[in-house]
Amino acid sequence: MPETVTVAVNGVSVTMPVGSMVSAAILKTGVTTFRRSATGEPRGPLCGMGRCFECRVTIDGEEHCRSCQTVCRDGMDVRTDG
Amino acid sequence: MVDVMVVGAGPAGLAAAYRAAQAGLRVVVIDDNPAAGGQIWRGEEAKPTSPEAQAWFEKIRGVDIQLITGARVFQQPHPGTLLAETSEGVRELKYNSLVLATGACERFLPFPGWTLPNVMGAGGLQALVKTGLPIEGKRVVVAGSGPLLLAVAAYLRGRGADVLLIAEQASLVQLAKFAVGLVGKRSQAFSLKRQLRGVRYLSGCWVVAAHGAEKLESVTLSCGGKIACDYLACGYHLVPNVELAELLGCVVENGSVSVDQFQQTSVANVYSAGETTGIGGLELSLVEGEIAGLAIAGKHEEARSFFRVREQQRKFAKRLNRTFALREELKQLPAPETIVCRCEDVTFARLTAHRSWREAKLQTRCGMGPCQGRVCGGAVEFLFGWRAESVRPPVLPVRVESLIRSVE
C-alpha cells in the first residue's frame, strides 16, 4: 500500500503520494491558474524549483507560499488566487 | 559556530561536505528545498534510480553532517554569519569557511504566450512530475536548448507522457560536432537514444509562440506548424545562481563566480563549486565540490589529485556551452507587448527605451518583484546585454519578522 496524504485545493480533496509538492496537487485537481499577475493574467508554475515565485498560493491561511517548495501534509488547506 | 557551512545540497555541495566531514570538520549543509539532492538528484535519497546518486548518499550517511532543509539564506549581517528563514523562524548560522554550491536555473526567454499556465521550464516540468504531478497520456512539447531537453523528454516519456517532439534551437552542424566529442559519454547517449526512439527531434527549431485563453492549448514552431499540446517544457540551457555570491562580495565574471585552483572565491574562506562557477554538469560539480572540501580541510595535495579530472570536465563543459550557444534570431522572439518581467508585468516595448538594467528598473520596475530578477535576469542579459549591477539584502522575499530579526 503506497502511503498517501490528502489536501484540499479550493475545497476539493485530492490524494497524493507522501512527499508530493502542493504545486503538483493543485495541477492534479485541474486548476492551472495559481495566481493572477499585476495586470490580471493567469499564472502557474514555471521553474519548479522555488526561484520564479509564479506558483505562490495561500496555504493554511498564509499567503504567498511557494507551492513548488511546500510538501503536502494531511489536511492542508490550499487556496489559489485564480 | 561550525567549521564549514555549505549552501546548496546538490552534488557539488554534498561532495564538498563529505570531504570536509571526512577530515573531521564540523559541517552544516543548508538548502531551500525540502530534501537533499539538488535538482539533478531530486528524490534520489528517498527512491534512488541513479547508482551514482545512491553511492554518494551512502558516503554522506557514513560521515557526520548536519543537514538543514527548507531554509532560505537571505542575508549576511556580517562576514562569517548568515541568516536563513525556516518554517520555525530565522536561524543565525556562524561559520569559519563557506561553500557556495547554489547551482543553476534554466534560462527563460520571453516569447508571445510564455506566461500562460502550463508553459514551464523543461527542468520545471520534470521537477513537478518528480514531486507528484501525473503526466500519463499528457501531450508534451519539449523545447529550448541544451542536453537537459533530452534527459527531460526521456524522463517524461518513462512516466507515460506523450512527448510530441523535441525542438532544439542549436543547428544540426553544431550538434554533430558535439556528438563527436561525446566519446566518454557514449553509454549515456545510447540509453537516451533508446528511451527516445520514435520521438521527433528537430534541430535548429524553436517555439515562436504559445497559444491559449486561460492556459496553454498549442504552440507554433519556427520551422512551421502549430501543434496542440497540454504542456510546453521550455528552457534555454542554464544560468548559474550567483545572487548569494554577489551579496557576499565575491567577484562574478560573465555570470559565473570566479574561483582559484582550490575553488576559493575572491573573498577569503568563501569557496564555490558546481554550476555556480559555470555550467559544467554533474561530474564537474562533484569534482569541484571534492576539491573545495579537501582544500578547506587543509588537504591541498589530495585536492590536487582531482585537478586533472576537473580540467577534462571543464574542456567538455566548454564544448557543451559552445554547442548550445543561443542563436541571434532568438532575440527577435518577444513581440512589443510580450511580458519580460513576469513579477511586475513589464513588456518588451517598455524595456527597449532604456540603456541599462538599472535605468530600466528605476523606470519600469523590471526585476523588482518577488523573484528579484531571477527569471528576467537571464533574459535581459541575452536580449539587451544587461547584467545586474547590485544585489541587496534580503536576496529572497522573507517575512517581516525575519527582516526585523536581521537588524536586531
Side-chain angles (χ1 to χ4, degrees):
Chain A
M1 264 287 280
E3 282 186 70
T4 57
V5 289
T6 301
V7 302
V9 176
N10 301 331
V12 176
S13 278
V14 57
T15 300
M16 303 292 291
V18 164
S20 297
M21 294 293 180
V22 171
S23 50
I26 294 169
L27 287 169
K28 195 177 173 185
T29 65
V31 171
T32 51
T33 300
F34 284 49
R35 66 178 199 98
R36 291 275 163 187
S37 74
T39 59
E41 284 191 359
R43 294 287 168 81
L46 173 70
C47 78
M49 56 176 78
R51 292 181 59 84
C52 74
F53 291 79
E54 286 284 35
C55 68
R56 331 203 270 283
V57 296
T58 301
I59 299 176
D60 291 335
E62 189 178 341
E63 292 177 59
H64 305 300
C65 295
R66 293 172 301 169
S67 58
C68 77
Q69 294 293 85
T70 311
V71 178
C72 292
R73 285 189 314 271
D74 247 331
M76 216 176 217
D77 179 53
V78 180
R79 301 273 159 186
T80 61
D81 193 17
Chain B
M1 169 80 85
V2 294
D3 299 314
V4 189
M5 171 74 57
V6 179
V7 184
L14 292 178
Y18 169 70
R19 285 294 178 178
Q22 202 187 27
L25 298 177
R26 278 197 61 203
V27 182
V28 168
V29 181
I30 187 164
D31 199 293
D32 181 22
N33 291 281
Q39 297 308 319
I40 191 156
W41 287 345
R42 183 185 279 272
E44 287 286 331
E45 194 182 8
K47 276 188 224 154
T49 59
S50 137
E52 195 174 23
Q54 196 173 0
W56 270 100
F57 279 116
E58 258 163 44
K59 281 185 182 183
I60 292 296
R61 280 189 287 269
V63 291
D64 191 17
I65 293 171
Q66 190 196 346
L67 179 66
I68 304 172
T69 55
R72 17 186 194 171
V73 174
F74 68 94
Q75 160 86 294
Q76 174 190 244
H78 37 82
T81 305
L82 291 176
L83 296 181
E85 187 179 70
T86 70
S87 54
E88 286 94 45
V90 174
R91 290 187 68 155
E92 192 182 62
L93 307 153
K94 290 180 186 290
Y95 58 84
N96 284 322
S97 297
L98 180 68
V99 180
L100 299 172
T102 49
C105 182
E106 289 175 89
R107 188 190 297 273
F108 297 106
L109 295 184
F111 55 88
W114 79 299
T115 55
L116 281 169
N118 289 359
V119 175
M120 299 176 191
L125 181 57
Q126 184 183 33
L128 267 156
V129 174
K130 278 189 177 180
T131 55
L133 173 68
I135 199 73
E136 211 176 329
K138 299 288 185 195
R139 300 161 303 167
V140 183
V141 169
V142 178
S145 197
L148 182 65
L149 301 188
L150 296 172
V152 168
Y155 175 81
L156 296 175
R157 205 170 191 218
R159 300 297 296 261
D162 181 9
V163 178
L164 302 177
L165 61 94
I166 303 167
E168 163 63 60
Q169 60 90 32
S171 72
L172 191 58
V173 178
Q174 274 174 299
L175 291 166
K177 276 190 207 153
F178 179 65
V180 172
L182 266 173
V183 187
K185 308 234 163 184
R186 205 178 267 164
S187 61
Q188 244 180 51
F190 273 138
S191 122
L192 272 179
K193 203 175 159 189
R194 199 183 58 241
Q195 292 169 64
L196 292 170
R197 184 169 295 153
V199 174
R200 276 166 76 199
Y201 183 84
L202 305 171
S203 56
C205 179
W206 57 94
V207 171
V208 291
H211 316 279
E214 285 289 296
K215 64 173 180 179
L216 176 73
E217 289 162 20
S218 63
V219 298
T220 302
L221 299 172
S222 65
C223 46
K226 192 169 172 178
I227 290 158
C229 54
D230 301 303
Y231 291 99
L232 168 60
C234 183
Y236 286 91
H237 206 28
L238 303 168
V239 201
N241 296 334
V242 297
E243 63 275 1
L244 189 56
E246 285 179 322
L247 180 76
L248 268 51
C250 304
V251 169
V252 173
E253 263 179 302
N254 299 320
S256 310
V257 177
S258 300
V259 290
D260 68 10
Q261 58 175 342
F262 292 109
Q263 302 293 136
Q264 190 169 206
T265 69
S266 61
V267 177
N269 300 322
V270 176
Y271 293 71
S272 187
E275 305 290 47
T276 319
T277 67
I279 303 307
L282 173 62
E283 302 307 326
L284 182 57
S285 295
L286 285 168
V287 74
E288 285 190 357
E290 294 198 74
I291 291 170
L294 287 166
I296 291 169
K299 299 188 166 187
H300 292 90
E301 277 321 300
E302 204 179 337
R304 277 181 201 283
S305 69
F306 289 90
F307 283 8
R308 210 172 61 86
V309 181
R310 183 179 59 187
E311 197 45 44
Q312 285 166 354
Q313 290 297 333
R314 279 187 178 160
K315 276 189 188 148
F316 174 75
K318 227 178 234 171
R319 223 169 28 234
L320 184 120
N321 292 325
R322 248 198 326 266
T323 301
F324 297 105
L326 300 182
R327 55 173 68 223
E328 284 295 302
E329 291 106 301
L330 297 172
K331 291 183 181 169
Q332 313 303 319
L333 274 178
E337 65 280 7
T338 301
I339 281 167
V340 175
C341 168
R342 303 169 62 117
C343 293
E344 298 287 339
D345 281 0
V346 181
T347 61
F348 183 67
R350 288 182 62 205
L351 290 175
T352 48
H354 302 289
R355 288 160 303 180
S356 70
W357 202 8
R358 188 183 158 74
E359 191 186 300
K361 263 181 162 178
L362 291 171
Q363 303 294 327
T364 69
R365 290 195 53 79
C366 178
M368 292 178 77
C371 97
Q372 288 287 293
R374 281 173 174 79
V375 173
C376 65
V380 300
E381 183 197 6
F382 173 68
L383 294 171
F384 305 112
W386 299 344
R387 275 210 57 81
E389 287 155 42
S390 67
V391 169
R392 271 178 242 182
V395 290
L396 278 165
V398 289
R399 291 187 285 268
V400 175
E401 310 91 89
S402 304
L403 274 183
I404 292 168
R405 172 72 199 280
S406 76
V407 295
E408 267 171 9

